[in-house]
Amino acid sequence: MSEKTPLTSEATPLRHVAFIMDGNGRWAKKRGMPREYGHTFGVKAFRAIVEHCGKLGLEAATFYAFSTENWKRPPREVNAIMKLMDTYLAECEKKLDQYAFRLVFLGDKSVFDEKRRAKMERLEELTKDRSRILNIALNYGGRSEIVTACNRLLAKGKESVTEADFNAALYTAESPEPDLIIRTGGDLRISNFLLWQAAYAELYFTDTLWPDFGPADLDIAIDEFNKRKRRFGGV
Ligand code: IPE
Ligand code: IPE
Ligand code: MG
């Protein structure tokens, strides 16, 4: 996972790709299966994409796994997602050496029980010296992140802040800004993801449902990204 291949032209360097992994429920429904079944296959797709991001030499990859609004779902589905998450955390710990990435969990961890939170924090601690970042957004909401950042700055006694102060107070403080945000599942919205950080991200939407999204689909999205002309407000 540490192999680096050149990704992009100089004009559009691609350092950070973020994913809104959507469509697991519909994928399962199409197969006459419960939504949880879709999440199980969603994790398989996630693993393959993480591995591919490693091969591509990205500096950061971010995955939206569970939003602050996803608690509204039926308890059965939420429990299934939490179980999948626990399995993944255990897997990460076991295979830590095979991972090129520093693990960072974006979101408010205080809602998780002590055991799960400790596991997340341990993984963050064990990988903290690695330079490339894998952000997993769990109980993440862009608005909540912004309010949390404000409160962190207030607690420090700040009365006025710069953009740099603000960036440093976000969950994503260690990552470059996302260059490309990919949403699967066909919906054309952001759903409370990286609201501040997405200011100049290129957005890519595909109808492909997340469990069907594979490394070749990511390559297609990157090809499209490479064709875009980013102006950042200039000419
Ligand atoms: C995304 O898939 C995964 C999570 C939000 C946890 P969905 O579960 O939202 O799948 P759809 O959008 O209902 O198909
Ligand atoms: C966004 O998907 C959240 C994640 C992928 C974790 P949702 O399925 O929750 O988004 P909406 O409800 O369609 O906006
Ligand atoms: Mg959805």
Side-chain angles (χ1 to χ4, degrees), residues 90-104:
E91 182 186 314
C92 280
E93 194 155 5
K94 230 168 96 192
K95 297 188 185 164
L96 211 57
D97 294 339
Q98 293 170 33
Y99 275 69
F101 290 108
R102 167 176 180 182
L103 273 164
V104 177

Side-chain angles (χ1 to χ4, degrees), residues 20-29 35-36 38-39 42 64-67 70 73 77 81 183-185 187 189 209-211:
I20 301 175
M21 306 185 281
D22 198 26
N24 293 349
R26 279 163 285 165
W27 187 90
K29 200 172 166 211
R35 296 178 55 84
E36 297 79 55
H39 296 311
Y64 201 7
F66 195 84
S67 76
N70 288 148
R73 297 185 179 204
E77 180 175 349
I81 294 171
R183 182 176 186 138
T184 59
D187 284 313
R189 57 177 171 260
L209 302 172
W210 178 256

Side-chain angles (χ1 to χ4, degrees), residues 32 60 70 87 179 232:
N70 288 148
T87 307
D179 300 296
F232 299 99

Side-chain angles (χ1 to χ4, degrees), residues 185-206:
D187 284 313
L188 308 181
R189 57 177 171 260
I190 286 292
S191 301
N192 206 10
F193 189 47
L194 302 179
L195 297 181
W196 167 277
Q197 300 88 334
Y200 274 103
E202 293 298 322
L203 306 179
Y204 178 89
F205 297 97
T206 170

Side-chain angles (χ1 to χ4, degrees), residues 48-103:
I49 295 295
V50 169
E51 194 180 328
H52 197 55
C53 287
K55 285 187 185 143
L56 292 171
L58 293 171
E59 277 174 55
T62 299
F63 293 84
Y64 201 7
F66 195 84
S67 76
T68 46
E69 288 74 37
N70 288 148
W71 298 104
K72 291 179 196 158
R73 297 185 179 204
R76 176 183 150 151
E77 180 175 349
V78 171
N79 290 338
I81 294 171
M82 292 301 143
K83 230 177 126 192
L84 285 167
M85 171 180 149
D86 287 338
T87 307
Y88 185 72
L89 294 179
E91 182 186 314
C92 280
E93 194 155 5
K94 230 168 96 192
K95 297 188 185 164
L96 211 57
D97 294 339
Q98 293 170 33
Y99 275 69
F101 290 108
R102 167 176 180 182
L103 273 164

